[in-house]
Amino acid sequence: MPSSSRSTNAHLRRLVIGGSTALVVALASARPAAAQQQSPANEALSACASLAAARNAPEAAIAGKLAKELFDAQLARSPKDVEAMVGLARTLSQCLLPAADLAGQGELSGQAIELLQNALAVDVRHFTARFVLASIYLQSPSFLGRMPLAAKELDVLLEQHGDRNDNPRYARVFEMRGGMLSRAKMEDSARVLWSRGRKLFPTDSALKALAPVDAPAPPAPSQSSASLATMRVVASATAPAAAAPSVQQINRSRILMTAGGTADVMQAVQMQAGATRVAEGSDVYTRGGGASETALLVDGGRVPSLSRFEGLSGGMFGVLDPFIVKAVRYSSGGFSARHGNALSGVLEIETDGRPRERELRAGLSMAQGSFTVRAPISRTVGAWASGRLANSGVILATHGRRAEFASSPHSEDVIASLIANPSTTSELRATVMAEQDDSRRIVNAAGWEGPFHSAGGARSVLLSSRWMPGDAPVVVRNSIAGASRTSAWTFGVLERDRVDRTLIARSDVEWAAQPDVTVRGGIEHGRFSRLETGSLPTTNRVGDGAPSRVLDGDARATMQLGAYGEAELTRPGTSLLVGMRADRLPGETDVTIDPRASVSTRRGAWTTRLGGGVFHQGRWQSAPAIPDPATPAGAPRVAHHVIAGIEHEGITTLRVEAFDKRYGDYVALGAGPQITNLAARGADLIARRALGSRLAAWASYSLLSARVRLADGRDARSPYDITHTGTASITATFNPEWSIGATARYGTGAPITPVTGATLSAGGGYAPVYGSVTSERLPAYARLDMRVMHFARTPTFMLTSFLEVINATNRANVASVTYDASYQNRQSMLSFFSSRTLVAGAELQRR
């Protein structure tokens, strides 16, 4: 055990989340079995553990990333490999945790605990798994209430291993459990236990100092103290193949800690390289593609939308509470054959698994109130729920902006999940999501000024299962996702109510055919429907008297049927992924065939990746509510990707990728000049730097050129041709109580088509005369955000308070331009965060 003479910073860091100096010391001398000594994963773990024991946290994290990658691949091939689970848990807690920030330490600790519990479900007598689990529990902050769990795990070890003395690490069990008894004022019991340990390990210096030679024999441990609640294990969701390019992972701590992200999942994704900054809202535009071309998946089920406050230019905020998000994976191109009906990107979100501990979280800020509850129901069943009530009235009043809205935007959302593990190799999950929102902002657009009323709602039910049959290296996953999205817009003559419904069933099988070969395959079937009522303008004017047409229950429906297969070959330093999928896509009658392939090679700290393929998407899209004859339009149905990249991992991690995407097979959509093909090419750069747990910085930059060919033969900029998109963020943790961060963003202005004049139309009113298509740009977008956080801990709870300054420089960013009814006067429409905005709040967590 570490003594009180260790440095104050190291001691406080252990109190923040626990994990790991004691664990490093206790396991540094561990000797893997002879068969495991040759494992590259275990060699990487030994290297990073040695660096961690030497208190070289940055270098340990570098080596730990390699170990994690190798253990992840090992578990992908054999999900019930206990040694891989334990090795990955040790990697997280020993190698990666010391260099993580405060929130990241909690995340890594939780992941390690889950892995160890899963390992014990497979092998209940695995010493290292239970010892590491007890150590993490023991070092956890007191408000988490894990001390009884640590005692239970140590008592189980004492009962299971009795008087064995063949493993020096067993001596630490006596030392640790005796220390717990001593701190509980049970000195006699502590001395008895230490004495028992000394008799088994007479040369152990720690036990020599703690126990006299003639201590009485200890009583046998009670049955109740050694009882073990059986844990369950299932394979985690399929991770992206190692060879696939353009995959970025975003953890919960980055979502919560990044300044300016408003603790919003979708905003966090928008900061990643490859995400094009077309608008300030929550929609994700990927490398020159439209927002509808990035697939959205939650727990393996596809959903039509993850946004709140939907307007003419998309949604404003994301709908998912970040406190229940376990992992986010964003692929900006070259994704595997598992994903169909997507042209540009894939966003996969995995929510939390079955709770093993009770937890209550409550939050209150100037923008919203929220809660999260996690509760184990039985040894095999658990549930969690999270909800939010958001209202911008306080913020608008504080900043003198009430006049911008007819009423304060508000929303309510809830998500809950029930998870059961009926056996050690199966999981059943039911997740429900519900959201509704309402906004009435004063808008000047399409020759009309007045409140744009947007009322939206979403309902989703996600049912999923995972199953590993017997001892076969096979994982079967099934899911059914049903979702509905309603939106009602009122603005001038525009009065549109729309309901979109989807129902998608999917089944996937993964088979580790050989130690270095994994085969995957699956099928999916979906049904889609849309119902629209109300009235839509037939020109780009919405004012009184503007022409419109009635939507008398316009209904459409379609279906999708798809299948895929892929194989992944992994050899030391090389990974090859080859796949093929076939689809009948929504709105289409023909079958499409998509071949895809990618390869990666690793040499030391350098990894190179090359990938590409063919990608199809159905024409099932909704036309814009207001006709826009100025902006190039159309719906692409095929894209070809080629992506090449190189990455270097070290104290500074650097990744550069170049891409070339070609979109074609367009069908008519919208009123603007119709597109026949689009070429998007460019490069993305990502750099990260961590200096222990005190300072973390990262930056992303995307260079993009996106040009369209129009049906009349003209070339023009794409509406999504954002030449430069950049984000830089830094977070400094001064001590376990305080952290401060800043994020700067920049984006080239979006292309627009200027109005050069107007003519008087025969039916009255004015019609615009447009200049060259997308020949102008909006002003560049730039924003600086800052956040200060304070963490207060007591033996029973943790209180996190924060102050966030959004748009600290008070820059008036422009979202769009509009004209009056005569098209003589041009006006800039500002973005939602066009003035400096302060948001303060606090979160209370208790277990």
Side-chain angles (χ1 to χ4, degrees):
M1 294 288 292
S3 68
S4 59
S5 61
R6 294 190 184 274
S7 69
T8 301
N9 288 339
H11 177 65
L12 290 174
R13 188 162 58 247
R14 291 198 303 276
L15 292 178
V16 170
I17 191 52
S20 221
T21 305
L23 186 57
V24 169
V25 172
L27 293 177
S29 61
R31 295 278 190 260
Q36 296 168 0
Q37 285 183 337
Q38 304 306 315
S39 163
N42 279 282
E43 290 178 359
L45 172 57
S46 297
C48 73
S50 297
L51 290 166
R55 298 182 176 276
N56 190 341
E59 293 291 345
I62 296 168
K65 289 179 181 179
L66 173 59
K68 181 181 182 299
E69 179 182 309
L70 294 170
F71 280 123
D72 281 337
Q74 200 169 320
L75 284 171
R77 295 190 296 271
S78 181
K80 291 187 289 185
D81 187 334
V82 175
E83 298 301 333
M85 294 180 203
V86 176
L88 180 54
R90 289 184 57 194
T91 300
L92 298 176
S93 59
Q94 291 178 245
C95 305
L96 300 181
L97 186 146
D101 58 36
L102 296 176
Q105 288 177 341
E107 234 181 304
L108 292 169
S109 176
Q111 293 172 16
I113 288 172
E114 185 175 359
L115 283 163
L116 295 166
Q117 291 172 336
N118 291 343
L120 289 170
V122 178
D123 183 358
V124 73
R125 297 185 64 86
H126 198 286
F127 176 87
T128 303
R130 197 174 300 282
F131 178 72
V132 177
L133 181 60
S135 300
I136 295 177
Y137 283 154
L138 184 61
Q139 298 292 330
S140 294
S142 57
F143 78 89
L144 294 178
R146 288 173 174 170
M147 201 61 68
L149 298 174
K152 186 174 86 170
E153 300 301 340
L154 292 172
D155 287 343
V156 171
L157 286 174
L158 291 170
E159 182 189 49
Q160 285 182 343
H161 299 281
D163 291 336
R164 63 178 288 189
N165 60 2
D166 58 318
N167 186 344
R169 285 181 291 154
Y170 189 36
R172 304 282 68 77
V173 178
F174 292 93
E175 179 190 359
M176 293 161 66
R177 186 66 178 103
M180 294 181 68
L181 292 170
S182 177
R183 287 190 293 273
K185 307 302 182 184
M186 301 171 66
E187 298 291 349
D188 290 342
S189 297
R191 283 193 294 270
V192 166
L193 193 58
W194 286 329
S195 178
R196 175 183 164 192
R198 177 173 179 176
K199 289 179 180 179
L200 294 173
F201 301 96
T203 61
D204 187 90
S205 58
L207 291 175
K208 273 184 181 181
L210 291 169
V213 176
D214 57 350
S222 66
Q223 183 64 29
S224 60
S225 67
S227 61
L228 173 65
T230 303
M231 303 299 177
R232 305 299 183 194
V233 59
V234 294
S236 62
T238 302
S246 303
V247 176
Q248 300 176 68
Q249 300 208 31
I250 310 164
N251 57 28
R252 184 184 302 168
S253 66
R254 191 187 300 182
I255 298 172
L256 295 174
M257 298 286 287
T258 300
T262 62
D264 188 290
V265 176
M266 304 303 285
Q267 296 282 340
V269 173
Q270 281 197 340
M271 296 183 190
Q272 308 310 304
T276 308
R277 197 174 310 289
V278 175
E280 192 177 62
S282 61
D283 292 346
V284 178
Y285 297 82
T286 302
R287 284 178 173 170
S292 62
E293 297 163 14
T294 295
L296 307 175
L297 294 94
V298 178
D299 290 336
R302 187 157 180 169
V303 294
S305 174
L306 287 172
S307 294
R308 294 177 287 162
F309 304 121
E310 183 182 8
L312 293 173
S313 57
M316 189 63 216
F317 297 104
V319 73
L320 280 178
D321 188 337
F323 286 96
I324 54 84
V325 171
K326 181 179 181 179
V328 178
R329 291 184 289 271
Y330 173 51
S331 174
S332 53
F335 39 92
S336 84
R338 291 188 298 117
H339 301 295
N341 198 32
L343 288 185
S344 296
V346 175
L347 176 60
E348 298 177 90
I349 299 174
E350 183 180 355
T351 62
D352 280 342
R354 176 169 65 87
R356 267 78 168 190
E357 302 173 81
R358 293 188 180 277
E359 179 185 348
L360 174 63
R361 182 199 65 84
L364 182 64
S365 73
M366 295 168 60
Q368 66 180 23
S370 62
F371 75 91
T372 304
V373 178
R374 293 182 174 87
I377 297 174
S378 70
R379 291 189 306 171
T380 61
V381 180
W384 52 258
S386 191
R388 296 182 295 184
L389 298 175
N391 191 305
S392 61
V394 174
I395 292 178
L396 294 175
T398 303
H399 298 85
R401 298 177 58 187
R402 280 193 178 274
E404 298 177 25
F405 294 84
S407 62
S408 300
H410 60 87
S411 68
E412 303 81 39
D413 63 80
V414 64
I415 179 171
S417 188
L418 178 68
I419 306 109
N421 299 122
S423 72
T424 58
T425 58
S426 62
E427 178 183 273
L428 301 174
R429 175 194 289 254
T431 302
V432 295
M433 296 189 295
E435 180 271 341
Q436 61 185 25
D437 58 75
D438 189 279
S439 176
R440 299 171 187 260
R441 187 174 187 181
I442 306 300
V443 173
N444 185 342
W448 176 261
E449 183 173 5
F452 182 97
H453 180 202
S454 171
R459 306 289 186 272
S460 300
V461 177
L462 308 171
L463 306 176
S464 64
S465 67
R466 299 174 189 162
W467 174 58
M468 289 181 288
D471 294 328
V474 175
V475 182
V476 181
R477 298 177 177 86
N478 299 288
S479 68
I480 299 176
S484 68
R485 174 70 181 173
T486 63
S487 61
W489 292 353
T490 302
F491 183 58
V493 299
L494 167 64
E495 294 185 9
R496 191 213 65 182
D497 291 353
R498 190 179 78 189
V499 180
D500 288 281
R501 292 188 174 92
T502 63
L503 180 63
I504 302 176
R506 181 182 180 109
S507 183
D508 298 85
V509 178
E510 182 173 340
W511 172 42
Q514 297 179 19
D516 55 0
V517 177
T518 301
V519 180
R520 304 181 188 93
I523 57 173
E524 60 182 324
H525 178 63
R527 293 189 174 276
F528 307 78
S529 67
R530 179 178 297 131
L531 174 66
E532 292 184 293
T533 58
S535 63
L536 293 180
T538 57
T539 69
N540 62 334
R541 294 187 293 115
V542 300
D544 291 338
S548 63
R549 65 182 179 91
V550 175
L551 296 170
D552 189 15
D554 290 359
R556 290 185 290 167
T558 187
M559 56 86 71
Q560 175 189 1
L561 183 63
Y564 78 94
E566 66 180 15
E568 184 178 7
L569 174 64
T570 304
R571 296 285 175 83
T574 303
S575 182
L576 173 66
L577 180 68
V578 178
M580 180 84 71
R581 71 172 294 123
D583 292 281
R584 180 188 168 188
L585 295 167
E588 309 297 336
T589 56
D590 296 334
V591 174
T592 60
I593 303 296
D594 293 351
R596 302 174 191 177
S598 54
V599 62
S600 69
T601 61
R602 184 174 189 126
R603 298 292 182 271
W606 292 91
T607 301
T608 59
R609 297 182 180 92
L610 176 66
V614 181
F615 304 80
H616 279 89
Q617 185 167 343
R619 70 180 76 197
W620 184 254
Q621 295 185 41
S622 179
I626 300 176
D628 180 5
T631 304
R637 294 184 294 172
V638 65
H640 297 79
H641 298 189
V642 177
I643 300 166
I646 185 168
E647 180 176 4
H648 179 270
E649 290 188 294
I651 295 178
T652 299
T653 297
L654 181 67
R655 183 168 77 178
V656 180
E657 283 191 346
F659 62 89
D660 186 284
K661 290 184 176 182
R662 305 297 174 97
Y663 296 80
D665 198 13
Y666 277 77
V667 293
L669 181 72
Q674 294 298 297
I675 302 172
T676 59
N677 58 69
L678 182 152
R681 58 178 63 90
D684 296 333
L685 182 149
I686 307 166
R688 295 188 181 90
R689 172 89 175 181
L691 299 175
S693 60
R694 291 294 189 91
L695 187 67
W698 60 271
S700 65
Y701 168 74
S702 296
L703 175 67
L704 173 67
S705 172
R707 305 284 299 183
V708 297
R709 171 64 64 90
L710 303 178
D712 59 11
R714 289 180 295 170
D715 288 325
R717 296 188 185 111
S718 162
Y720 313 125
D721 177 45
I722 309 301
T723 308
H724 306 285
T725 299
T727 302
S729 182
I730 185 169
T731 301
T733 302
F734 299 107
N735 53 49
E737 283 76 43
W738 290 96
S739 75
I740 185 170
T743 300
R745 316 185 202 193
Y746 176 84
T748 303
I752 58 172
T753 300
V755 173
T756 59
T759 60
L760 188 63
S761 61
Y766 290 88
V769 176
Y770 294 103
S772 299
V773 177
T774 59
S775 59
E776 289 190 11
R777 289 186 182 272
L778 295 176
Y781 183 93
R783 202 173 99 190
L784 175 65
D785 307 315
M786 303 183 71
R787 177 185 290 178
V788 178
M789 303 184 73
H790 179 259
F791 306 89
R793 299 168 183 81
T794 76
T796 57
F797 66 84
M798 180 171 75
L799 178 66
T800 303
S801 53
F802 68 89
L803 173 64
E804 187 160 34
V805 184
I806 301 175
N807 193 8
T809 62
N810 205 34
R811 180 184 173 91
N813 286 302
V814 176
S816 63
V817 296
T818 188
Y819 297 83
D820 62 11
S822 65
Y823 293 95
Q824 299 299 311
N825 299 305
R826 174 167 159 169
Q827 180 180 351
S828 296
M829 300 300 297
L830 301 181
S831 65
F832 184 81
F833 291 116
S834 59
S835 61
R836 185 182 300 110
T837 303
L838 275 67
V839 182
E843 303 278 346
L844 180 68
Q845 180 183 354
R846 181 170 183 170
R847 294 197 183 190

